[in-house]
Amino acid sequence: MSSDLLSFGEAQALVAAQAARLKPLGTERVALAAANGRVLAQTLRADRDQPPFSRSTRDGYACRAAEANAHKALTLAGSTGAGHSPSSPLPAESAWEIMTGAPVPAGADAVMMFEHVEASSGRVRLVPPRTIALGENIVARGAQARIGDELLAPGSAIGFAQIALAASCGCPHLQVFLKPRVAILNTGDEIVPVESEPGPAQIRNSSGPMLAALVRDAGGEPWLLPTAPDNTPALEAALKQACEADLILISGGVSAGKFDLVEPVMASLGARFHFTGVRIQPGKPLVFGEVPSTDLNQEEDRTKRQSKNRTKCFGLPGNPVSSAVSFLLFAAPILRALAGYTHRGPRFALARLVEDVKGKSGLTRFLPASCNFAAPPGEFPAARRVERQGSGDLVAMAHSNCFLVLPEDAERLHAGENVRILLL
Ligand code: AMP
Ligand code: MG
């Protein structure tokens, strides 16, 4: 590992610049119901004004506000339910019974709620001292969007709200970006698959399934390769296979130990390195580079390859907490760019510290924490550290819902201070 490590901010800026140069892979058409969690690859435009007619938002009486505010009895001139059009404009000195979602008759400029009106023998009157404002309880035609307006741009995350909007525009299908295929290559002689009974000195592969989940969350399709043992030929063969993917995540083998072979093996395959360490804890030995893409292995002069023939590759520390932090901070933005997202993250917020926490000089620290997001109005959510035993503490991570971010220069942050949190 090289000694000149980047600061957290420098590494973040470098990753953001790399992400900005990436293009999504291609597109496919999916049914609207299958579009949840995908990334929009088309522009969504309004196919008609929204709302398409001036619509009542209440059950009540359409009226002219000026007439209603005079508190005179207005003649009931008609009645319209949702799905029907008023049979005529609103006559003078009249009101029109109307239901939520129905078009208001031409000439009406407000809707009085049933509850605010006294009605008798075909006449209605706004009960004093209540008054009504111009436009009250009406959403005017086109107030939300005009026909042809761009409502969503390519790169938008599709969730429930975007699905509702697409449905309202008459889109039973959407064009979405293809999901990048992300190779996950775990390394380590001690690692056995989850189905296996570990020997006395072995542990189960927890980083692999964890990274697969993180990859899915960031818009990718995980491709879990068999765990590679800590020897150069095996690791080289596994990495060559991984080069078929759109992005490679290697976990383990990036520290300074005798069997930490990832960086030299990447180098032997012709990798270029963006960085080989970041001043963060956990995650310091993190490697970010590019390896020549598939079947470049036979290629004699790999160094002449264009960057489009290269696959971005992260060497993440093997400890699951370190892997998760370094994935969220650095690999997720690259993956989200490949997946087509405009917003690549990571996402930060502010919270109020419940207890003092100690920083670490020279390193930006990320500590598993629990944040109570159900904060009372006007207050920041309260965050507290989850006690943990090192970067392999899966129990602590499973009880966390964010990471506290302690800046490089902070010796101690005090209870009651605001702290930045990394959202999961
Ligand atoms: P390494 O980064 O290879 O030095 O590994 C750091 C620590 O993480 C060691 O204690 C490993 O046993 C552990 N570790 C490595 N890979 C995994 C994995 N896939 N699942 C769980 N723990 C791991
Ligand atoms: Mg290892």
Side-chain angles (χ1 to χ4, degrees), residues 87-119:
S87 52
S88 77
L90 181 70
E93 302 282 307
S94 299
W96 194 288
E97 190 183 38
I98 196 158
M99 306 306 147
T100 302
V104 298
D109 56 27
V111 170
M112 303 180 281
M113 289 167 66
F114 278 141
E115 300 88 316
H116 300 163
V117 155
E118 57 189 20

Side-chain angles (χ1 to χ4, degrees), residues 186-188 190-191 203-208 227 230 251-255 260 316-320 394:
N186 293 104
T187 70
E190 76 279 30
I191 308 299
I203 57 170
R204 295 192 183 92
N205 181 3
S206 51
S207 273
T227 297
D230 289 319
S251 108
V254 288
S255 310
D260 289 327
L316 308 173
N319 261 323
L394 300 174

